[in-house]
């Protein structure tokens, strides 16, 4: 297992429960934001890739967060901020805006949209046991079919950072 990020145990994530707004399905489960969950190190991108993979979060890719609302209806997503700072909007219209910095981690349940509002956030993203999930933009015509797929996605049973000892299973269990 990769180096543990915190000597004092897992960082308890902030929870953001985002309701279906008629365009973005969102989820009955909260988005999770782990502030400063990763260790401070120069190879943070490699650390995220390795840690996510060890915990069955696959398909890791290096990217800049998009400034277009999008979501995945076939998988839970995670991203770890490698560098930069800025704000992201979760949940589409009526959702929340969250300030992020390097070392922060965000878990998005299937159906929860994400969009970069400001800043230059470089992230490593991955998906729970689904290396090639769909990517949907926020279009009302997609809502009903996407909501049906989202309801068939089982929540992850392994925390992307802390594995079997993390808060995710307790929160989503």
């Amino acid at each position: 297992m990769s180096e543990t990020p915190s000597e004092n145990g897992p960082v308890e994530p902030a929870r953001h429960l985002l309701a279906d707004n008629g365009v973005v399905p969102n989820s009955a489960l909260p988005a999770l934001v782990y502030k400063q969950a990763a260790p401070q190190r120069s190879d943070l991108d490699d650390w995220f890739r390795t840690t996510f993979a060890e915990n069955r979060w696959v398909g890791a890719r290096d990217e800049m967060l998009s400034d277009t609302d999008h979501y995945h209806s076939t998988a839970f997503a995670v991203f770890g901020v490698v560098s930069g700072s800025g704000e992201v909007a979760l949940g589409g219209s009526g959702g929340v805006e969250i300030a992020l910095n390097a070392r922060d981690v965000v878990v998005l349940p299937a159906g929860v949209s994400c969009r970069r509002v400001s800043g230059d956030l470089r992230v490593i993203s991955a998906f729970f046991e689904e290396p090639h999930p769909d990517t949907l933009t926020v279009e009302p015509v997609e809502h009903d079919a996407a909501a049906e797929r989202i309801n068939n996605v089982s929540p992850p049973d392994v925390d992307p950072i802390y594995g079997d000892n993390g808060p995710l299973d307790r929160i989503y269990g």
Side-chain angles (χ1 to χ4, degrees):
M1 176 70 89
S2 300
E3 169 188 343
T4 310
S6 172
E7 295 174 6
N8 300 324
V11 170
E12 187 65 25
R15 303 172 194 189
H16 299 279
L17 192 56
L18 303 157
D20 185 328
N21 65 15
V23 179
V24 178
N26 286 307
S27 177
L29 296 172
L32 305 177
V33 179
Y34 301 71
K35 299 298 280 180
Q36 301 296 282
Q40 193 162 5
R41 49 189 298 160
S42 61
D43 63 341
L44 196 52
D45 51 348
D46 290 335
W47 186 87
F48 278 128
R49 285 177 194 281
T50 300
T51 302
F52 292 163
E54 287 175 348
N55 293 316
R56 302 187 348 240
W57 293 76
V58 297
R61 52 189 172 206
D62 186 334
E63 58 190 340
M64 297 299 283
L65 276 183
S66 172
D67 60 358
T68 301
D69 275 307
H70 66 284
Y71 64 96
H72 308 283
S73 71
T74 57
F76 279 63
V78 64
F79 64 85
V81 181
V82 174
S83 64
S85 62
E87 290 192 349
V88 297
L90 305 180
S93 178
V96 297
E97 289 188 8
I98 298 166
L100 295 175
N101 295 289
R103 301 177 43 220
D104 292 345
V105 175
V106 177
V107 173
L108 299 172
V112 174
S113 71
C114 180
R115 170 177 55 88
R116 180 181 56 83
V117 175
S118 66
D120 58 348
L121 298 162
R122 185 175 145 248
V123 303
I124 299 294
S125 62
F127 305 92
F128 187 69
E129 296 185 329
E130 175 58 61
H132 306 290
D134 64 357
T135 299
L136 303 174
T137 56
V138 179
E139 298 291 333
V141 69
E142 298 175 334
H143 179 276
D144 293 346
E148 189 172 319
R149 286 190 303 275
I150 291 160
N151 288 333
N152 292 319
V153 177
S154 297
D157 59 358
V158 179
D159 192 283
I161 298 294
Y162 303 105
D164 292 329
N165 299 319
L168 183 141
D169 189 46
R170 175 178 41 78
I171 293 168
Y172 288 169

